[in-house]
Amino acid sequence: MLTHLNAKGQANMVDVSDKVSTQRSAQASGCITMNAETLAAVCNNQNKKGDVLATARIAGIQAAKKCADLIPLCHPLALTKIDIDFEIDTVKQQIKVSSLCKLNGQTGVEMEALTAVSVALLTLFDMCKAGDPSMTISEIKVLTKAGGKTGLWQRTTET
């Protein structure tokens, strides 16, 4: 059954009012690959636009909070926790962005976690494009989700 269509086949926000409110969380990640010089500028806080990682962290947090404004039919959620973390890999010339979103509610937070990662990565691209316009954003995915009637789900592979 398609849950985002009503009996007439029209777009419809799912009614979650009868669902039990539970602690819910989701983690997502993605990465951006760039040339060594641009990555070094980020790591050494020498990007001409300022503190790239701090700006991307704020952008990711704001994006998670605005997910329902960006993705049709998403429920507006009262998130209680949003974390954005960065992992620098100088060998692969990548920055991995990870997010964690949490709430106590009636629907999951996967879309908020994915939106946080996506916008943080786009912000990294925007702030670094002068140094490397050929950067690549990839591997955006949900890593874990917890809560609700399905309980815990974890990605079993890195693909």
Side-chain angles (χ1 to χ4, degrees), residues 27 29 114 139-145 153-159:
Q27 294 176 295
S29 69
L114 287 166
E139 302 179 42
I140 299 171
K141 59 191 170 230
V142 174
L143 301 173
T144 66
K145 67 180 214 129
W153 176 88
Q154 293 181 299
R155 181 171 293 280
T156 56
T157 64
E158 277 299 311
T159 58

Side-chain angles (χ1 to χ4, degrees), residues 3-159:
T3 59
H4 284 80
L5 298 177
N6 65 16
K8 296 179 183 178
Q10 300 165 330
N12 175 51
M13 182 186 274
V14 175
D15 183 358
V16 297
S17 59
D18 291 333
K19 290 175 87 176
V20 175
S21 190
T22 63
Q23 177 88 23
R24 296 171 185 261
S25 65
Q27 294 176 295
S29 69
C31 64
I32 186 166
T33 306
M34 60 187 68
N35 67 38
E37 297 79 22
T38 302
L39 183 59
V42 171
C43 292
N44 298 319
N45 201 17
Q46 295 177 334
N47 185 291
K48 292 179 182 178
K49 290 188 176 183
D51 189 336
V52 173
L53 298 179
T55 304
R57 178 173 283 115
I58 293 167
I61 292 168
Q62 286 297 106
K65 291 166 41 176
K66 293 291 191 179
C67 184
D69 294 335
L70 301 170
I71 309 293
L73 308 179
C74 275
H75 293 87
L77 302 178
L79 296 169
T80 57
K81 180 70 174 168
I82 306 166
D83 272 336
I84 306 291
D85 290 311
F86 303 99
E87 182 181 316
I88 310 289
D89 185 335
T90 56
V91 174
K92 292 182 181 179
Q93 296 176 209
Q94 289 182 338
I95 301 173
K96 180 179 177 183
V97 178
S98 300
S99 70
L100 167 67
C101 292
K102 294 174 79 172
L103 62 64
N104 191 18
Q106 297 166 294
T107 189
V109 292
E110 301 93 330
M111 293 310 300
E112 288 72 14
L114 287 166
T115 300
V117 164
S118 298
V119 172
L121 288 165
L122 289 170
T123 301
L124 290 172
F125 190 100
D126 181 52
M127 294 190 73
C128 297
K129 66 187 177 211
D132 184 2
S134 68
M135 291 176 289
T136 303
I137 293 172
S138 62
E139 302 179 42
I140 299 171
K141 59 191 170 230
V142 174
L143 301 173
T144 66
K145 67 180 214 129
K149 67 180 180 182
T150 57
L152 177 65
W153 176 88
Q154 293 181 299
R155 181 171 293 280
T156 56
T157 64
E158 277 299 311
T159 58

